Amino acid sequence: MSNEAKAVKDQVNRCSKCGSCREVCPVFIEMNSEPWVARARVQLASAALEHQVDFSHRYKEIMESCLLCKACVAHCPNGVRVDKLVLWARQEAVKRQGLAFIKKVLLHNILRYNYRLDLMAKILAAYQATGIRLTPKDNLLPHFRTVPFRRLWHPKKLKKPSLVVAYFTGCMTQYVYHQTGRAVLHVLEENNVQVVLPEQWCCGMPALAAGDLQTARALAERNVESLTKAGVDYIITDCASCGEMLKGYGQLLGNDMARKFSGIVQDVSFFLVHTIGFRHPDKKVPLVVTYHDPCHLKRGQGTWAEPRKILAGIPGLTLVEMAESDRCCGSAGSFGFTHYDLSMKILQRKVENIRATGAQAVATGCPSCRLQIECGLKKADISMPVVHTVELLSRAYGLGMEGEAAC
Ligand code: SF4
Ligand code: SF4
């Protein structure tokens, strides 16, 4: 038995079938049917390991309906890594049957090439400018920028910086939320941190989540090589999903260079609080704000106190906690497109929890969550900006806040 198979078997054997995961799995709570809970996915992974399944449509449907939110992992008395089992099961399906045609085109022919992503963003921006909406799912599309962030905005050259960091912008800041990128540059410069923007590619999370290990590894190798060459103290990101993925490169590639790379990756909020101890701003931001914990930041990286410390350090800002702040918003990358109705149902609960706070704005640390919550608020006719935490800090340092709903 290979090491990988042994690791899968070990996780499967840990499951006592207690069913505690039923209390927290957002998918199960909406579907209320056993195949949609973590416990069933563990058993299905076990059957796949024993070659007792034929990777049918039903098998893939159940595995693909997992948000990888890790709520079950955090709640499981035996610490079963359901997320890892689901990823392994998806990879096995791809190994046996290959990728579906559309996924193959997106992952192999577009995601791996920056110039093709640039072109796609341009085409989508042009489509959006027409005002035509072909399907309701188009409302989930963010407002694409015609020029990518890294081509438009450049870090200032500081005289005597305390640290040098490479900013991994992620695709969402690159093509959609330029305001987050500007805030990150501004906040780091205000704290005397030199930012560099080396050549970089998608972190590979969409490929890994789709079971396409080959693309995930190819992108990881390129990022490790390019950002290592930059010779920086830290690698910073504003995206919870990118951060978790970059921190996992060491394990994904299994070499010293990748492990070293992963060791210096930090979420921007963690960096501001622990690594540099950010300068407390003096401008008031008179807002009542609630905070949504992205799954990939809280459970993926253990970062949840840091964004709150930043918000607490902003004069005039009041933080009101929403109920279930760390419950998944239902975004999970492409999940919102592939499981639109289910994703909207999960989102509804998040929107109700936000509404109940009476806050004036929502802060979060993941652009995918931001996009999803913006859509949910708009659907519910709630006029409330959703921003990245650093945008509020940047505003308290004096930069204006640019907010716009995505749909
Ligand atoms: S995954 Fe954990 S919580 Fe769920 S049934 Fe197994 S042991 Fe219980
Ligand atoms: S990761 Fe989230 S969606 Fe997937 S089984 Fe666990 S709780 Fe359910």
Side-chain angles (χ1 to χ4, degrees), residues 24-27 37-38 41 66-72 82:
V24 294
C25 175
V27 173
V37 75
R41 295 186 177 101
C66 172
L67 295 153
L68 301 172
C69 71
K70 300 186 185 70
C72 53
V82 181

Side-chain angles (χ1 to χ4, degrees), residues 137 140 330-341 343-344 372:
K137 288 183 190 178
L140 282 178
S331 167
S334 60
F335 186 90
F337 289 94
T338 53
H339 299 78
Y340 180 73
D341 294 336
S343 170
M344 289 297 118
Q372 174 87 340

Side-chain angles (χ1 to χ4, degrees), residues 64-274:
E64 284 168 13
S65 69
C66 172
L67 295 153
L68 301 172
C69 71
K70 300 186 185 70
C72 53
V73 180
H75 194 70
C76 174
N78 301 323
V80 179
R81 288 300 305 262
V82 181
D83 58 326
K84 299 262 185 211
L85 289 175
V86 168
L87 284 175
W88 172 82
R90 290 179 187 177
Q91 283 159 21
E92 283 303 295
V94 170
K95 264 189 219 162
R96 310 271 175 105
Q97 298 179 334
L99 282 164
F101 176 73
I102 186 75
K103 280 188 185 170
K104 196 169 180 177
V105 170
L106 286 171
L107 298 172
H108 287 200
N109 301 102
I110 297 177
L111 202 71
R112 292 185 187 195
Y113 305 94
N114 282 344
Y115 75 95
R116 291 183 187 171
L117 279 173
D118 293 356
L119 184 65
M120 201 167 105
K122 233 181 204 169
I123 292 169
L124 285 166
Y127 162 69
Q128 288 173 333
T130 64
I132 298 167
R133 296 291 177 266
L134 295 174
T135 75
K137 288 183 190 178
D138 287 3
N139 281 338
L140 282 178
L141 287 174
H143 284 305
F144 283 93
R145 309 276 183 155
T146 46
V147 184
F149 177 83
R150 295 192 298 274
R151 207 174 296 155
L152 204 58
W153 298 97
H154 304 285
K156 278 185 198 152
K157 185 91 189 111
L158 305 183
K159 281 194 184 124
K160 282 188 183 167
S162 56
L163 288 170
V164 181
V165 302
Y167 176 23
F168 188 88
T169 64
C171 300
M172 290 290 276
T173 295
Q174 173 78 334
Y175 298 112
V176 179
Y177 294 119
H178 284 195
Q179 58 270 48
T180 306
R182 288 180 62 200
V184 169
L185 294 183
H186 179 229
V187 162
L188 293 176
E189 284 160 6
E190 281 289 318
N191 283 281
N192 197 31
V193 175
Q194 180 65 58
V195 184
V196 294
L197 285 168
E199 193 174 13
Q200 51 194 271
W201 290 263
C202 166
C203 68
M205 179 66 94
L208 191 74
D212 180 5
L213 203 54
Q214 193 195 2
T215 301
R217 283 197 176 129
L219 290 165
E221 274 166 8
R222 278 188 224 166
N223 282 322
V224 169
E225 198 189 330
S226 176
L227 275 80
T228 300
K229 257 192 216 154
V232 294
D233 299 305
Y234 292 95
I235 296 159
I236 303 303
T237 180
D238 61 58
C239 171
S241 302
C242 295
E244 188 182 355
M245 185 71 192
L246 300 179
K247 285 181 179 179
Y249 277 4
Q251 205 184 357
L252 182 68
L253 298 179
N255 61 51
D256 287 344
M257 194 172 168
R259 277 189 281 272
K260 201 171 165 200
F261 173 101
S262 289
I264 58 167
V265 173
Q266 292 187 356
D267 179 76
V268 65
S269 65
F270 184 97
F271 179 79
L272 287 166
V273 171
H274 298 292

